[in-house]
Amino acid sequence: MKIIHVNAKTRAEVLDCLQKRSPNHDERTEQIVREILDTVKEKGDEALFACTKRFDGWDITAERCRVTQEEIDEAVQKTDPAFMRVLEKACENITDYHEKQKRSGWFHTRPDGVLLGQRVTPLASAGVYVPGGKAAYPSSTLMNVVPAKVAGVNRIVMVTPAGKDGRVNAGTLAAAKTAGVSEIYKVGGAQAVAALAYGTHTIPKVDKIVGPGNIYVATAKKLVFGQVAIDSIAGPSEILILADERANPRYAAADLLSQAEHDERASAILITTSEAFARAVEREIDGFLSVLPRKEILERSLEDYGFLLVVSDEEEAVSLADDIASEHVEIMTANPMETMAKLQNAGAIFLGDYSSEPLGDYFAGPNHVLPTNGTARFFSPLSVDDFIKKSSVIFYGKEALRAVHTGIELFAETECLSAHANSIRVRFEEEDRKGREA
């Protein structure tokens, strides 16, 4: 990894480098994905199944597309009972955390008889994308399904790629069973996003698509936005550690590598006030690289997007962290709560030496679907809020409207919207006529 003393020039260079990871800047991928989306939109199942054969390597049919209850039950039987217990406890923690996010509608009545309010209702349907094929992510199943269930979404549809044998990873299906989703289809990639957005004979369309995926999935979600809602356009994973000289360099190194192993485009960044600490972390990373199995991915990620940044003081450290706005921020300082109070931009914050990032990935309860590529400046983690919609409620009686109608008409006429003014005026035209005659 590169040890860099931060100044105005190096700061700008680091931020520019990190922005290159965004899926928003890949025109070639966008062209490929647009063609897939258009084909599935036009040809439905025919295109969906053809893309699945081409990209995933197995002959899918309408009869084999949906995961059967027997397949789900078989997967649970195959899963290590100890892992099932961990899944169940993780699901319990995630559910408990998201239950606290539930919103209620409200109504307020004023003395003049006006009633104003807000209704909160769940989405009717949601599509959950869970990565699969070469890797399995039971955790993503829990993190995407549970908040939808807590919100009260009636129809939750899960899509996930199958292997060349047409089977979905047993751990993923066990997690689906634990989370309570049974409508599962063996499709992935941009074609699965297209099916959820436009609908096919086999897979009816949904109102919103959530869940992480590769650059093709992220780009597909970006392109179907507006046809359906989406959670975010997720980029490669990232971690940022704020640490002072008292932190444990071995812990910091292990945590940086925990995210770098995801992807060659993942980012792992340390910001510290101590060059000696940065060098100690560098040594620990070299030691871990000699024993960890995903060495090639780790080395590529650290070479391209890994930084050990040395700053002058904590204020500069927090300022730089806010500019980066990382998906995961670990705070390993003498007073992590005090440091956190200065921080504005982060997807998830982990406090202290023992709140390692994988705790959030799997078990603690907060959602691990988080804003990436600096979007923590304005996006939030996936939550129950992503699966509800709010409707405003307005009631004015005649007397309440009479008291304000001339002002509303003036407002409308000022905007040259005479029909707006007229829709208020007609309700009092008889009264106004009589008043003028009197």
Side-chain angles (χ1 to χ4, degrees):
M1 290 181 76
K2 299 172 280 290
I3 295 180
I4 297 174
H5 286 266
V6 175
N7 55 39
K9 181 175 181 292
T10 56
R11 183 185 188 120
E13 289 171 347
V14 168
L15 293 172
D16 182 63
C17 175
L18 295 175
Q19 279 302 306
K20 293 175 182 176
R21 301 161 58 249
S22 171
N24 290 317
H25 304 306
D26 193 331
E27 293 181 3
R28 180 177 175 276
T29 298
E30 187 165 317
Q31 181 179 352
I32 293 169
V33 170
R34 194 181 297 278
E35 290 173 359
I36 294 171
L37 296 176
D38 289 345
T39 304
V40 174
K41 183 178 182 180
E42 179 184 351
K43 298 183 178 179
D45 279 348
E46 178 187 346
L48 176 64
F49 299 159
C51 287
T52 299
K53 183 175 182 180
R54 176 184 173 191
F55 298 121
D56 295 338
W58 71 287
D59 285 316
I60 186 174
T61 64
E63 293 73 28
R64 301 175 65 196
C65 184
R66 182 166 176 171
V67 175
T68 65
Q69 187 60 50
E70 290 73 20
E71 287 176 298
I72 296 172
D73 293 340
E74 180 185 352
V76 172
Q77 290 298 318
K78 285 183 176 179
T79 302
D80 181 350
F83 181 57
M84 283 300 304
R85 290 193 291 272
V86 173
L87 274 178
E88 289 162 1
K89 181 57 181 174
C91 188
E92 180 183 323
N93 291 344
I94 296 164
T95 301
D96 182 64
Y97 183 87
H98 288 81
E99 285 279 358
K100 294 176 175 60
Q101 297 176 338
K102 290 172 72 172
R103 294 175 179 264
S104 299
W106 56 267
F107 293 94
H108 171 68
T109 303
R110 298 193 325 217
D112 59 0
V114 170
L115 181 146
L116 301 174
Q118 180 173 274
R119 289 186 66 216
V120 176
T121 54
L123 302 182
S125 59
V128 172
Y129 189 97
V130 176
K134 294 180 180 178
Y137 294 97
S139 59
S140 289
T141 306
L142 298 180
M143 292 292 182
N144 285 276
V145 172
V146 168
K149 295 283 286 187
V150 171
V153 177
N154 185 53
R155 177 173 175 256
I156 302 172
V157 183
M158 183 172 129
V159 294
T160 187
K164 294 184 185 299
D165 59 357
R167 300 181 71 85
V168 174
N169 177 271
T172 298
L173 292 184
K177 172 81 170 179
T178 303
V181 60
S182 58
E183 187 176 347
I184 307 167
Y185 298 95
K186 305 175 188 179
V187 292
Q191 62 272 21
V193 174
L196 292 172
Y198 304 123
T200 72
H201 180 73
T202 302
I203 305 178
K205 66 181 180 180
V206 298
D207 296 322
K208 185 164 188 172
I209 302 172
V210 302
N214 62 21
I215 192 169
Y216 296 97
V217 172
T219 303
K221 287 170 65 179
K222 169 187 167 184
L223 293 177
V224 300
F225 176 66
Q227 176 72 29
V228 292
I230 63 170
D231 52 348
S232 63
I233 304 168
S237 189
E238 54 200 34
I239 186 170
L240 185 151
I241 297 177
L242 285 169
D244 55 23
E245 69 282 350
R246 58 144 296 282
N248 187 314
R250 188 167 177 82
Y251 295 173
D255 293 357
L256 290 169
L257 292 171
S258 74
Q259 293 309 290
E261 76 169 341
H262 269 295
D263 189 320
E264 290 89 345
R265 295 174 13 136
S267 170
I269 298 172
L270 170 73
I271 302 178
T272 182
T273 53
S274 167
E275 181 176 350
F277 180 77
R279 296 203 177 278
V281 171
E282 184 180 37
R283 289 191 296 271
E284 292 290 350
I285 286 173
D286 290 341
F288 282 128
L289 286 175
S290 66
V291 297
L292 289 171
R294 295 170 68 88
K295 182 178 180 180
E296 186 175 337
I297 293 174
L298 287 165
E299 288 182 334
R300 180 69 181 275
S301 167
L302 297 178
E303 175 64 27
D304 292 344
Y305 303 110
F307 300 99
L308 302 171
L309 303 176
V310 181
V311 296
S312 58
D313 53 37
E314 184 175 273
E315 285 67 31
E316 185 181 10
V318 171
S319 172
L320 180 55
D322 273 337
D323 281 351
I324 295 171
S326 184
E327 176 186 20
H328 308 99
V329 175
E330 290 189 3
I331 301 179
M332 297 180 175
T333 59
N335 191 334
M337 291 292 288
E338 185 177 296
T339 304
M340 181 183 68
K342 303 173 184 177
L343 186 70
Q344 297 296 314
N345 303 327
I349 300 170
F350 301 79
L351 300 175
D353 292 347
Y354 293 93
S355 302
S356 178
E357 188 279 335
L359 184 66
D361 273 351
Y362 300 117
F363 193 76
N367 211 285
H368 79 193
V369 181
L370 300 165
T372 58
N373 287 116
T375 60
R377 290 178 294 113
F378 44 80
F379 280 144
S380 304
L382 190 73
S383 71
V384 171
D385 286 348
D386 283 285
F387 299 98
I388 62 170
K389 57 187 186 296
K390 290 166 277 189
S391 303
S392 54
V393 179
I394 301 168
F395 169 79
Y396 269 60
K398 186 174 183 179
E399 295 305 315
L401 185 60
R402 178 187 287 115
V404 297
H405 80 95
T406 56
I408 300 170
E409 292 160 21
L410 175 60
F411 212 139
E413 294 287 5
T414 301
E415 294 188 348
C416 299
L417 295 173
S418 298
H420 280 61
N422 187 60
S423 77
I424 299 291
R425 187 179 295 118
V426 295
R427 286 164 166 78
F428 301 97
E429 59 187 357
E430 188 65 21
E431 290 184 14
D432 291 344
R433 183 184 63 77
K434 290 178 179 179
R436 288 192 298 273
E437 290 176 353

